[in-house]
Amino acid sequence: MIPTAFDYEAPDTVEEAVRLLSSGADDVKIVAGGQSLIPVLKLRLAGPELLVDLGRIPDLRGVREDGDALVIGAMTPHHEVASNALVREHAALLAEATATVADPQVRHRGTFGGALAHADPAGDLPAPAWALDASFEIVGPNGARTVAADDFFLDYFTTAIGEDEVLTSVRVPKHTGWGAAYEKFVRVAQQWSIVAVAATVQVEGGTIADARIGLTNMGSTAVRARATEDALRGVALDEAAVAAAVAGVAEGTSPPDDLNGSADYRRHLAGVLTRRAVLKAAGA
């Protein structure tokens, strides 16, 4: 199908983008890579009056170090994140997860910030970003503000970004030396996750010193499995011990129940994939 008619603007600065978002148009949409929005427009599930394209703002793209963290521009394409040397060294979990997003075409057009702002609970980036304690730099008419991952993902396709605000970058604390794994279960290749688990693990002396766990498609948002993280600390690198520590990872989750799998099946998968991800991340 063909989208409904809309006005189009491609600002050169974040400030101009914010001004356009605050222009008073009835419905304004931001387009980043367009991999989620364009299909919705073509199906006429959305009909914005104005489309604001962030693709011409150079400050929104790239990866840089900032002390004990990496700063990833919101318009950085997935393939650049997955292949970036800094990301691979200091936030390997992001590189692992981003490399599984859809297919090469989507990874070259889709953007890191766009996928996070879209906040699809079946998407591959919210869980690892949350597991790594990412924070989100948002700019609006009242200036810039930073939102922690705990407060960023609110509900299905809903984040803390206001209608007149722009996500400009994502700050990710360095996890240098931590092992990482993203275990993703799909029915066919390049599909949305039925369930996926993001795990990054710090190993000392044959035991798990620390761990971070995020779950994909186990609720209305990604899920941070903090109780399982606590249970893993001090556990020996033994398959049975790890399996026991992660046995309750699905407790308190609300996975969907659909044709791809029942809620109980997804809870079972979460346990299996968490065990695999932790052992792989730990090098066991």
Side-chain angles (χ1 to χ4, degrees):
M1 293 180 66
I2 299 174
T4 58
F6 54 82
D7 292 329
Y8 173 84
E9 296 283 355
D12 297 318
T13 66
V14 172
E15 292 73 20
E16 178 64 10
V18 170
R19 186 191 67 77
L20 289 166
L21 293 174
S22 308
S23 63
D26 287 340
D27 188 7
V28 185
K29 296 291 186 187
I30 289 176
V31 60
Q35 301 307 292
S36 298
L37 180 61
I38 299 302
V40 170
L41 295 180
K42 291 176 69 176
L43 290 170
R44 298 199 175 190
L45 297 175
E49 181 180 334
L50 173 63
L51 202 63
V52 179
D53 187 346
L54 303 182
R56 296 182 184 175
I57 305 178
D59 292 344
L60 297 184
R61 185 164 176 165
V63 180
R64 61 181 174 86
E65 287 185 276
D66 184 17
D68 60 355
L70 299 181
V71 178
I72 304 174
M75 288 294 291
T76 307
H78 298 309
H79 82 95
E80 290 187 15
V81 175
S83 61
N84 184 273
L86 290 174
V87 176
R88 287 179 173 273
E89 180 180 0
H90 301 298
L93 181 57
L94 281 185
E96 288 265 345
T98 306
T100 74
V101 171
D103 55 44
Q105 287 180 312
V106 171
R107 290 196 292 273
H108 278 73
R109 287 294 304 166
T111 65
F112 184 70
L116 290 166
H118 188 53
D120 187 338
D124 292 304
L125 298 188
W130 199 344
L132 291 172
D133 290 314
S135 57
F136 301 82
E137 185 79 7
I138 299 168
V139 175
N142 298 319
R145 63 191 182 100
T146 301
V147 179
D150 286 353
D151 302 313
F152 183 77
F153 301 105
L154 303 180
D155 206 342
Y156 288 104
F157 304 103
T158 306
T159 70
I161 305 171
E163 292 184 357
D164 55 359
E165 293 183 315
V166 175
L167 174 65
T168 57
S169 63
V170 181
R171 184 180 180 88
V172 182
K174 291 180 179 178
H175 286 69
T176 313
W178 290 50
Y182 188 66
E183 288 290 315
K184 178 177 178 177
F185 188 86
V186 295
R187 186 171 55 84
V188 296
Q190 302 171 353
Q191 191 190 38
W192 299 107
S193 298
I194 294 176
V195 175
V197 176
T200 189
V201 175
Q202 186 180 47
V203 176
E204 294 178 0
T207 63
I208 296 174
D210 207 350
R212 302 284 187 273
I213 308 292
L215 308 180
T216 297
N217 210 12
M218 289 295 290
S220 61
T221 69
V223 175
R224 178 74 181 270
R226 296 186 189 276
T228 299
E229 295 172 2
D230 292 340
L232 282 166
R233 294 186 183 100
V235 169
L237 290 183
D238 171 80
E239 184 168 352
V242 169
V246 305
V249 70
E251 291 179 5
T253 62
S254 301
D257 194 330
D258 56 30
L259 292 176
N260 285 316
S262 68
D264 285 342
Y265 178 59
R266 284 183 161 94
R267 292 187 184 98
H268 169 73
L269 278 178
V272 172
L273 296 177
T274 302
R275 173 178 54 80
R276 291 178 183 173
V278 169
L279 289 169
K280 182 178 178 181

